[in-house]
Amino acid sequence: MDVIEEVEAILGYGDTCNHCLGRFFGRRSFGLTNEERGRALRIAHEITANEPHQEPAPESCWICGGELSRTDAWAARVVEAMQGIEFETFLIGTRVPPLMAESEEMVWSDLSLRDPEPLKAEMNREVGKAVSELSGKVADLQKPDVVAILDLANETVEIQVNPVFFAGRYLKYERGIPQTHWDCRACRGAGCERCNFTGKQYADSVEELIGRPVIEAFDAEGAVLHGAGREDIDARMLGSGRPFVMEVETPRKRSVDLAALEAEINRSAEGRVAVHLTGWADRKMVQSLKSDKAHKKYRILVEIDGPVTSDEFRTALDQLKGVTIRQRTPTRVSHRRADRVRERQVIDIQCTGTQDDRYWVEVVGEAGLYIKELVSGDGGRTRPSLAQILGRTASVVSLDVVQVRTTNEQR
Ligand SMILES: [Zn+2]
Ligand SMILES: [Zn+2]
């Protein structure tokens, strides 16, 4: 079949608007809209058949019902739905009713058409052009700030606001604060007497202490903290802090001054948590942060049961230096983690002083090394351990993370 014969066959299915007619040949010839393509093919067909010209009524189109002639109205709906949302870039998506898609696909396969374009693609492009003109914003297929979904069947527009990410480091000065919020163990987040109907096991988390001013500043629906690892609840995070990326969910504002935000977080977290914000980030940075095997430096206070001389203590520490430790999942976390053996290296360990018969120790460990068990031995589940080498009971009285060095910083 040549093109004119194909047009003849297509028109045989029913009234077809110029958009839909042109779209069956959408990938042939450049610099034309499908409507222009459709009109030209219709006229060429009419001249070939020597028939009078008939301009079709778009709403009687058997495929789109005139939807492709209403792109300006759709664009106006999109702009209205985006009112009050700050964005620079956008993307249009279309939910096409199954019957519409099946109609055009039937013709593609009946006539073995080689160059058709789907309805969805034309709708996205044409409404996108119109939204650009109305709003002065640009379409971005890769990383749009907002996505507008046209629901053709329901005649509605759904707006999805993509998250904003920023990076920084946090410090935790107070023990007893988890990194992220935990659901109440009794009610699993539903709210009960135990948790004072908050649904939370702990009143605050690092995530919430940072997140509250963030949600306010971005007029957002939520803020998720992605940390480079996490410290125990009872450990402080000191030194230069722990790298994190914060994901701001559904932000209605995006142009936030990070320096002012940092000051506001530090003011509202009242010395319990502090941040230094380093700049804007993206989802890729979250992934590299999560997969990063950061070395951690800890400052711990160790208590030994029974008398040990300072020399004995230091000699025992030396036997752990550079050694790979085999650790079965610690008893204290075995209720939520699978029982496995992990091997992690003690990169450095040394005694830095004493306090009331206790020892200050600094340990640099590979990511994932369990420090409390390195000292206590966890009933033989961690080997070797300080307790095992000394032949005495040993325990960590307090623990602070003083440095988190990411892979980039280790190079
Ligand atoms: Zn149509
Ligand atoms: Zn509860």
Side-chain angles (χ1 to χ4, degrees):
M1 266 200 273
D2 66 17
V3 169
I4 298 300
E5 286 167 340
E6 285 171 345
V7 170
E8 165 98 23
I10 290 164
L11 293 175
Y13 283 87
D15 285 357
T16 310
C17 76
N18 286 334
H19 289 274
C20 291
L21 180 58
R23 204 171 55 252
F24 284 119
F25 307 89
R27 291 170 211 222
R28 287 177 87 120
S29 175
F30 294 108
L32 291 168
T33 64
N34 283 331
E35 191 193 17
E36 289 167 337
R37 219 178 247 112
R39 174 168 291 115
L41 288 166
R42 184 183 308 278
I43 292 170
H45 167 256
E46 287 162 347
I47 291 172
T48 307
N50 197 10
E51 285 170 359
H53 175 62
Q54 279 188 326
E55 199 58 33
E59 59 277 10
S60 65
C61 175
W62 76 283
I63 296 169
C64 76
E67 216 59 86
L68 268 313
S69 302
R70 292 181 209 121
T71 48
D72 284 345
W74 277 107
R77 265 186 208 142
V78 169
V79 170
E80 197 195 324
M82 285 172 171
Q83 285 292 326
I85 299 168
E86 186 193 344
F87 69 98
E88 289 307 316
T89 57
F90 69 91
L91 178 67
I92 304 292
T94 303
R95 209 167 282 145
V96 179
L99 189 63
M100 263 189 211
E102 284 160 18
S103 298
E104 63 177 3
E105 283 162 21
M106 177 179 73
V107 178
W108 300 349
S109 86
D110 282 358
L111 304 182
S112 309
L113 296 181
R114 289 174 303 278
D115 308 298
E117 185 189 38
L119 186 147
K120 184 194 284 261
E122 179 174 0
M123 200 70 191
N124 292 350
R125 185 179 57 245
E126 296 303 322
V127 174
K129 279 193 226 163
V131 168
S132 240
E133 249 165 57
L134 285 176
S135 65
K137 312 289 182 182
V138 285
D140 181 344
L141 273 58
Q142 306 304 322
K143 284 166 82 179
D145 292 342
V146 292
V147 179
I149 307 287
L150 319 177
D151 188 328
L152 299 190
N154 297 312
E155 302 206 346
T156 53
V157 172
E158 257 169 54
I159 303 291
Q160 295 164 3
V161 182
N162 282 334
V164 171
F165 299 85
F166 63 84
R169 305 178 79 97
Y170 76 78
L171 295 112
K172 185 175 106 188
Y173 297 118
E174 187 181 299
R175 301 186 197 281
I177 304 175
Q179 186 187 60
T180 53
H181 114 269
W182 283 26
D183 282 347
C184 165
R185 283 196 199 96
C187 66
R188 296 174 184 219
C192 67
E193 261 174 44
R194 252 259 205 111
C195 61
N196 206 12
F197 301 96
T198 60
K200 297 188 290 188
Q201 186 72 19
Y202 300 92
D204 276 316
S205 61
V206 173
E207 180 178 64
E208 290 162 291
L209 287 168
I210 300 173
R212 276 181 214 123
V214 168
I215 289 170
E216 181 95 14
F218 286 89
D219 192 5
E221 282 176 16
V224 179
L225 184 122
H226 304 282
R230 59 173 68 211
E231 63 283 343
D232 289 341
I233 290 178
D234 58 358
R236 294 185 296 180
M237 180 64 235
L238 304 175
S240 55
R242 183 183 297 277
F244 72 91
V245 169
M246 184 150 259
E247 176 176 358
V248 186
E249 298 173 318
T250 319
R252 276 172 287 272
K253 286 186 199 154
R254 306 180 90 85
S255 59
V256 167
D257 176 3
L258 290 184
L261 179 61
E262 173 181 311
E264 179 53 26
I265 294 167
N266 291 340
R267 193 197 60 75
S268 76
E270 294 171 33
R272 305 169 74 195
V273 163
V275 293
H276 172 55
L277 304 186
T278 47
W280 299 105
D282 55 25
R283 193 173 293 287
K284 267 194 193 144
M285 282 178 71
V286 175
Q287 283 151 8
S288 69
L289 198 70
K290 287 281 172 194
S291 60
D292 197 274
K293 300 284 173 254
H295 289 177
K296 315 257 165 45
K297 186 174 183 178
Y298 302 87
R299 188 160 181 265
I300 56 178
L301 190 58
V302 173
E303 189 172 74
I304 309 293
D305 194 17
V308 175
T309 68
S310 191
D311 271 355
E312 279 177 283
F313 186 79
R314 285 167 204 271
T315 308
L317 289 186
D318 282 344
Q319 291 182 50
L320 290 171
K321 200 176 289 181
V323 169
T324 296
I325 312 294
R326 289 174 57 84
Q327 303 190 293
R328 254 180 83 187
T329 302
T331 325
R332 66 186 164 92
V333 297
S334 59
H335 63 284
R336 54 192 166 89
R337 288 203 193 152
D339 190 11
R340 290 172 40 218
V341 174
R342 59 161 76 157
E343 297 191 348
R344 295 290 189 278
Q345 199 190 10
V346 176
I347 292 154
D348 194 16
I349 185 163
Q350 54 188 322
C351 181
T352 57
T354 58
Q355 182 183 329
D356 309 330
D357 295 335
R358 292 164 168 176
Y359 296 88
W360 284 111
V361 175
E362 282 191 358
V363 192
V364 179
E366 228 183 309
L369 177 70
Y370 294 114
I371 299 298
K372 290 172 183 169
E373 287 69 23
L374 173 70
V375 170
S376 72
D378 197 21
R381 293 162 71 95
T382 283
R383 284 167 190 273
S385 69
L386 185 61
Q388 182 195 353
I389 292 167
L390 288 169
R392 295 183 185 280
T393 303
S395 60
V396 171
V397 179
S398 77
L399 183 149
D400 294 324
V401 186
V402 292
Q403 198 173 56
V404 178
R405 299 185 69 189
T406 58
T407 315
N408 282 333
E409 295 161 320
Q410 285 160 21
R411 277 191 205 115

